[in-house]
Amino acid sequence: ESDTASEISFQLNRHKKTPSTGSHSSDMASVSSVSGSVLSVYSGDFGSVDAQGTVEFALDYDEKNREFQVHVSQCKDLAVVDEKKGRSDPYVKTYLLPDKARMGKRKTSVKKRTVNPIYNEVLRYKIEKMVLLIQKLNLSVWHNDPLGRNSFLGEIEIDLASWDWSNRKLNWYPLKPRSLSAVNGVDHRGVMSLSIKYVPPGSLGPKNPPSGEVHIWVKDVKDLLQLRPSGVDSFVKCYVLPDTSKKSYQKTRVIKRDTNPVFNHTIVYDGFHTEDLKDACVELTVWDHEKLTNHFLGGIRLGLGTGLSYGISVDWMDSTQEEVAFWQEMMLAANEWIEGLLPLRSL
């Protein structure tokens, strides 16, 4: 591995950081297999439970009020999330795809300690019928965790273009495992596979390391936007915000003509004191490399998503629920590689 010893400092000169970067040697690739904490992050999904059970609902379009209505009745035989306590606290969530952000999500109430919850709730969308007919309905069931580590219990997607609107009756549908479109963050920017690790100061022996380190292992990206028939020439940029100086900036090599690039590249930032972890944000962005200007493909921001950094309001502290959960998992598990699969989004 090559090291660059340039020093970087946060805008507020809290602590100095030194990045070092390099590509993984083959023996590093085995880390994930021995890591004690392997974690897959899909929309806050921390449970490794398999989707099972059924959901009963009905769809209707109210012409008079121009309103799409999802009548969520109940679920049966859901997976148990907390094996020790034998409990799940399920709720139902809906999106209209492909543009889930524009129409927003709707949620039922949470039913405690049951795998057979009864809701009898109506989730409503104000939307023109013509617009509705080019959407898909994504209905998913989740276990609610007070710490935000919600577990995915199953989903169903319905193409509303081919839906029989004369059918207003409640029907049962089997819950299915997570679809790739959902993992992709729905606007299909791709999914990044990565691992992160926090090494606290002195945790490897006296004064070793002298200051805390954040290790970022960018493994690969799947399903990047196809910009040309030949694919895409992509690379990943990394900054530790609030520092946007050249010294904070690291990047991988360019992988040519591939919408599923494998980078296998590590970046290490030192000078990280434990209290910095709540104020800093690791921003990873994927770009298409072109001669005149690079084209942004999508990115992720790893932090606590509080909107604040060292007491100052900032727009980049906007991590999604699953990005926050991933960062928190790293904070709680010192010296362990935390493995994640995160959807790229527009930043």
Side-chain angles (χ1 to χ4, degrees), residues 1-5 18-29 31 197 213-218 250 253 263-269 337:
E1 293 205 354
S2 64
D3 287 290
T4 56
T18 318
S20 68
T21 162
S23 293
H24 264 282
S25 55
S26 57
D27 60 343
M28 276 302 278
V31 168
K197 175 169 73 168
E213 297 174 349
V214 170
H215 296 237
I216 303 145
W217 176 5
V218 179
Q250 298 292 330
R253 68 192 186 285
F263 295 103
N264 214 20
H265 184 101
T266 42
I267 302 162
V268 177
Y269 289 93
W337 283 107

Side-chain angles (χ1 to χ4, degrees), residues 106-124:
R106 305 285 187 272
K107 289 198 230 179
T108 66
S109 56
V110 175
K111 300 299 176 190
K112 294 274 177 82
R113 295 184 187 82
T114 176
V115 291
N116 300 300
I118 295 171
Y119 299 102
N120 291 328
E121 293 177 43
V122 181
L123 307 178
R124 304 168 189 274

Side-chain angles (χ1 to χ4, degrees), residues 268-299:
V268 177
Y269 289 93
D270 70 10
F272 254 103
H273 291 256
T274 307
E275 65 269 22
D276 284 323
L277 295 174
K278 62 182 198 302
D279 290 297
C281 171
V282 171
E283 182 182 83
L284 292 160
T285 51
V286 187
W287 298 80
D288 175 46
H289 178 67
E290 292 200 46
K291 285 196 181 96
L292 295 174
T293 174
N294 294 322
H295 181 84
F296 174 75
L297 297 172

